[in-house]
Amino acid sequence: MDDRLRRYYEKLLASHMKDPREDHLYSAGQLSKWFMEKRIPPEEVINLHISTVRKLVPDLPPEVTHSFNLLLEVMVGYGLAYRDREHLMDLHRELENEIEVAVGMQQTLLPSAPPDPPGLEIGVLSVAARQMNGDYYNFVDHGNGLLGVAVADIIGKGIPAALCMSMIKYAMDRYDDQALSPSEILRGLNTVVERNVDPSMFITMIYGVYDTLNHEFRYATAGHEPGLHYSAAEDGFRDLETKGLILGVLRHVDYPEFTVRLDPGDAIILFSDGVTECRLENGDFLERDTLIAVIREQIDLPAQQAVEAIHQRLYEMSGYRIRDDQTILLIKRSTD
């Protein structure tokens, strides 16, 4: 122990034994903080106290001396447990720091902002239930007015899911400037996942290509949650057709394609299962009709405001708790 702290404690204890005052107790509280900052074990503090008392009162009754021995033995065990706890806390802090770095790196895998092609509004929001996000979205410029759109959900949590996300991102980078169909892209990604991802982890995905010249959305799905097509003329929603196996299950899989035409005011809404499987405050799961009603309330807003308002409403309905990662992506054809 630092000699300065030792002398200060001895002086404080001597003063308090001679003339007990409230300010002595306050000073002792401050001193305990210094002991913790210096990581001085509890038994060392007790030992200092006992040695100081023996100096101040040489003729202690034997029973008091025996009680000191008992107290010191108790504090030795306590001190060992305290050091183990401090070691675990150090490890925890190191892990927290590493996770913070990983979260920052993960954010760089996502687009900084959605693209702004002529004739379209695009809004996107992805919120993690924990520090690491298992959802992924991306936009790919295939040239000639073709915009690729992807939403994926890694079945798993934490750092393993984040590592899978990075693999998907860099695998998708290969398709920049390539006029591949959604089916071809999913087949390529399936091969990557099947070869490189642990069999216990799977990835669902919807990949679509929006033709900004003809306003057609051609897409394929790999076990992903069906999105929605909003018709402004009918003021109605219908589920997007889905048919395709989760990525990584089998090596050779075909992914059927579907096409949706968007008239002015129409929209495509894609999301992860953290949205559709949202648990409400009363414990029930969110019904799809309820989700559609929430989306309808916000569909006339600008795309980015709409996805934020949809998420906020679901957040309120779930009692301000997010149990699974939530991603919402909205593509709306302008009415101009």
Side-chain angles (χ1 to χ4, degrees):
M1 182 185 297
D2 184 89
D3 286 340
R4 184 176 62 88
L5 286 178
R6 183 185 299 276
R7 289 194 300 270
Y8 183 81
Y9 186 83
E10 290 175 348
K11 181 179 179 181
L12 178 62
L13 181 58
S15 298
H16 189 68
M17 291 179 67
K18 184 177 181 180
D19 180 20
R21 296 202 313 265
E22 191 69 27
D23 61 306
H24 293 155
L25 300 179
Y26 174 79
S27 297
Q30 295 299 113
L31 189 59
S32 69
K33 296 179 182 178
W34 296 338
F35 285 149
M36 285 188 286
E37 288 177 3
K38 298 291 185 180
R39 297 194 173 185
I40 297 173
E43 72 271 17
E44 191 170 339
V45 177
I46 293 295
N47 202 31
L48 171 60
H49 180 88
I50 293 172
S51 62
T52 304
V53 170
R54 284 175 171 161
K55 288 180 185 177
L56 297 173
V57 188
D59 298 326
L60 283 174
E63 55 269 23
V64 174
T65 301
H66 297 330
S67 71
F68 284 163
N69 294 334
L70 182 64
L71 176 61
L72 185 58
E73 190 63 31
V74 170
M75 295 312 293
V76 167
Y78 181 85
L80 292 173
Y82 174 80
R83 283 191 288 275
D84 288 343
R85 177 184 176 278
E86 283 295 296
H87 177 65
L88 291 175
M89 290 297 295
D90 287 341
L91 293 176
H92 179 74
R93 282 188 285 267
E94 290 177 10
L95 180 59
E96 286 291 316
N97 291 336
E98 291 177 0
I99 290 177
E100 286 183 14
V101 172
V103 169
M105 293 180 63
Q106 187 183 44
Q107 289 301 312
T108 66
L109 302 177
L110 299 175
S112 58
D116 187 24
L120 283 184
E121 292 182 27
I122 300 177
V124 63
L125 180 71
S126 188
V127 180
R130 303 176 187 172
Q131 287 177 286
M132 306 295 291
N133 197 338
D135 287 355
Y136 175 69
Y137 66 89
N138 197 12
F139 303 99
V140 179
D141 184 359
H142 291 293
N144 300 317
L146 300 177
L147 176 65
V149 179
V151 175
D153 185 357
I154 292 87
I155 302 176
K157 302 295 180 188
I159 294 177
L163 292 174
C164 284
M165 179 192 293
S166 65
M167 182 190 64
I168 288 293
K169 195 270 182 193
Y170 291 114
M172 287 187 65
D173 284 348
R174 299 182 307 166
Y175 304 129
D176 285 358
D177 303 324
Q178 295 187 40
L180 297 177
S181 69
S183 179
E184 290 173 319
I185 289 174
L186 285 185
R187 281 202 299 270
L189 293 175
N190 178 68
T191 300
V192 172
V193 174
E194 195 274 334
R195 290 177 178 175
N196 297 283
V197 176
D198 186 274
S200 64
M201 296 189 70
F202 303 104
I203 300 171
T204 72
M205 176 179 281
I206 179 168
Y207 192 91
V209 175
Y210 192 98
D211 185 338
T212 61
L213 301 179
N214 298 313
H215 293 285
E216 289 184 344
F217 183 67
R218 188 161 49 115
Y219 69 93
T221 62
H224 198 77
E225 189 71 26
L228 293 167
H229 170 219
Y230 170 72
S231 169
E234 300 174 2
D235 188 28
F237 293 82
R238 69 177 181 85
D239 291 346
L240 296 180
E241 295 183 74
T242 59
K243 188 178 181 182
L245 194 63
I246 291 174
L247 298 178
V249 177
L250 297 175
R251 178 163 298 183
H252 303 292
V253 181
D254 289 326
Y255 295 95
E257 292 185 4
F258 305 92
T259 301
V260 177
R261 175 171 176 78
L262 272 70
D263 295 320
D266 286 5
I268 296 291
I269 305 99
L270 308 177
F271 31 75
S272 61
D273 63 9
V275 174
T276 54
E277 295 178 4
C278 173
R279 191 181 290 271
L280 304 179
E281 191 171 11
N282 62 7
D284 294 337
F285 284 104
L286 178 72
E287 297 287 344
R288 199 167 181 86
D289 289 344
T290 304
L291 173 61
I292 289 174
V294 169
I295 295 173
R296 176 179 274 111
E297 292 173 359
Q298 319 299 340
I299 197 67
D300 292 330
L301 294 173
Q304 188 59 40
Q305 292 183 28
V307 296
E308 292 173 2
I310 293 167
H311 168 72
Q312 180 61 32
R313 181 65 184 124
L314 296 177
Y315 188 47
E316 294 168 357
M317 294 170 65
S318 62
Y320 302 95
R321 296 181 62 191
I322 299 178
R323 294 176 173 84
D324 194 6
D325 306 325
Q326 295 185 358
T327 297
I328 307 171
L329 190 151
L330 188 150
I331 304 170
K332 181 160 63 173
R333 181 178 175 183
S334 303
T335 55
D336 298 338

